[in-house]
Amino acid sequence: MDRREFVQKSLLAGIGVIGLSAAGCGGDSASAPQVYNTSSSSSSSSNDTSAPHPEQASMVIAKGKQPLEMLRQGLNKMGGIERFVKKEQLVAIKPNFSVPRKPGSGCITSPELVAELVTQCLTAGAREVRVIDYPFTNVSMCLSESGIQPAVENAGGKLFVLNQKNDRNYYQVTLPGPVLKSVFYSRDVLDADVFINFPILKHHGSTEITLGLKNLMGLVWDRGVFHSSDLEMGIAELGAFKKPHLNIMDAVKGIIDSGPSGPGTIREYNQIVLGTDIVGVDAYSAELFGLRPDRVGYIVNAASLGAGSIDWKSLNPVEITV
């Protein structure tokens, strides 16, 4: 998608906010975003998932044709959701429902899988689970076509759409640049004790592929700065700023052209990839798509900024077949 198309779709996103009843989709009634204060925020979680116990994997590749069971067994191999979510913690989950496509289209994270993750987090004792995204096309259409809202709410979670720049949705944060210096970043993520990134593996017109790192763009209000500057470095800077505790790649099937909006040619990978290292999960997923990870600019940049390891094999991934 070129810059002109991005601007046009951003305007449509504003139109789509009107009349929505989903949490976080209403009028701009909250005050302006506050400046992010690390001393008063719970975003620096006490969870330490960087050094797993011997029975816990750092990365799991689940293969098969039963996505729900693949997710469940993949989480078990990671040490269970309890490794990441403790009692009374606030959880933020970032899937991709940014375009108005139906489940199975290869364009959005599976609502069924997101709902399962919500259920698991609540079963582990989470006090609240928030599922968030910032659709760049008509919001009401994204919600109605994807089915994400009833899936999340029926599982006991809360859905928030970040299409209003206000105090409920965003903090103003300062980053070291060179691309991102001052941005409005998701308050739900920064306030959360646990942050789980849940992208879908699919084609993208600007970066050739969209993965976990690029999924983080849905946490920022002004995405125009990415497209008007260095897109691949800006994405990497987001990954270095706030690393998810857990990354889950919906690689069951995804479009391999006409992305990110589709419709496009669907390829079935029949995999779900889980890991604590966002760069490693992205690097493996890029290879699955058919690209060398060292040829994907934002993966290389994120690794250079210390967001993770591009050498996914060094993470000793555990493979399971369901």
Side-chain angles (χ1 to χ4, degrees):
M1 178 176 66
D2 60 23
R3 188 181 175 192
R4 181 180 179 183
E5 184 182 359
F6 176 83
V7 172
Q8 290 174 335
K9 289 185 175 181
S10 295
L11 292 173
L12 285 175
I15 295 171
V17 171
I18 299 172
L20 294 177
S21 60
C25 298
D28 194 3
S29 58
S31 59
Q34 301 174 5
V35 175
Y36 177 57
N37 185 349
T38 55
S39 64
S40 63
S41 172
S42 62
S43 67
S44 297
S45 173
S46 60
N47 292 355
D48 181 7
T49 60
S50 59
H53 297 299
E55 67 275 13
Q56 298 173 338
S58 294
M59 181 174 172
V60 174
I61 302 167
K63 302 178 179 181
K65 294 194 175 182
Q66 302 178 61
L68 281 176
E69 194 60 27
M70 289 156 60
L71 177 59
R72 291 169 184 148
Q73 293 193 28
L75 286 169
N76 286 339
K77 285 294 182 180
M78 291 291 298
I81 195 63
E82 297 81 6
R83 172 183 170 185
F84 304 94
V85 179
K86 311 302 186 214
K87 291 186 180 301
E88 295 304 312
Q89 288 189 321
L90 172 62
V91 180
I93 302 173
K94 170 59 177 76
N96 184 331
F97 55 91
S98 63
V99 296
R101 298 297 176 199
K102 295 185 179 298
S105 65
C107 297
I108 61 170
T109 308
S110 164
E112 182 181 46
L113 292 176
V114 175
E116 173 63 22
L117 182 60
V118 170
T119 298
Q120 293 227 10
C121 291
L122 290 171
T123 301
R127 76 173 186 274
E128 187 173 312
V129 180
R130 300 176 182 175
V131 177
I132 58 174
D133 197 8
Y134 178 178
F136 61 79
T137 54
N138 186 288
V139 177
S140 59
M141 288 180 62
C142 288
L143 294 177
S144 63
E145 289 294 296
S146 68
I148 186 69
Q149 186 175 352
V152 167
E153 293 178 351
N154 289 341
K158 297 183 178 181
L159 185 79
F160 292 92
V161 180
L162 309 182
N163 286 67
Q164 294 290 313
K165 187 177 72 171
N166 55 33
D167 182 53
R168 201 239 73 86
N169 289 338
Y170 294 102
Y171 282 118
Q172 185 174 7
V173 301
T174 300
L175 299 179
V179 175
L180 304 179
K181 299 183 183 297
S182 179
V183 299
F184 296 103
Y185 190 95
S186 169
R187 183 168 187 158
D188 294 301
V189 169
L190 293 178
D191 283 347
D193 300 294
V194 184
F195 171 32
I196 303 176
N197 192 26
F198 203 158
I200 181 172
L201 169 59
K202 64 175 180 176
H203 173 261
H204 194 282
S206 297
T207 56
E208 194 164 2
I209 188 172
T210 178
L211 301 165
L213 286 159
K214 194 170 186 315
N215 196 47
L216 302 180
M217 283 182 66
L219 302 175
V220 176
W221 168 255
D222 182 11
R223 287 176 287 192
V225 66
F226 293 87
H227 292 268
S228 63
S229 183
D230 185 335
L231 174 61
E232 309 245 27
M233 179 55 74
I235 293 170
E237 289 171 11
L238 281 182
F241 167 65
K242 180 64 178 176
K243 302 176 187 177
H245 295 91
L246 176 63
N247 301 277
I248 306 174
M249 181 68 67
D250 179 356
V252 176
K253 58 183 176 180
I255 55 172
I256 58 173
D257 51 36
S258 303
S261 300
T265 305
I266 295 176
R267 177 184 295 166
E268 294 190 7
Y269 304 98
N270 296 314
Q271 297 189 27
I272 294 176
V273 188
L274 307 91
T276 54
D277 187 317
I278 188 172
V279 178
V281 171
D282 273 13
Y284 172 82
S285 300
E287 289 192 15
L288 192 60
F289 186 85
L291 296 175
R292 284 175 46 179
D294 62 356
R295 297 293 179 87
V296 180
Y298 61 79
I299 294 180
V300 174
N301 292 339
S304 71
L305 294 177
S309 174
I310 197 170
D311 181 11
W312 62 267
K313 293 180 181 178
S314 69
L315 302 173
N316 299 314
V318 175
E319 291 192 22
I320 61 174
T321 301
V322 175

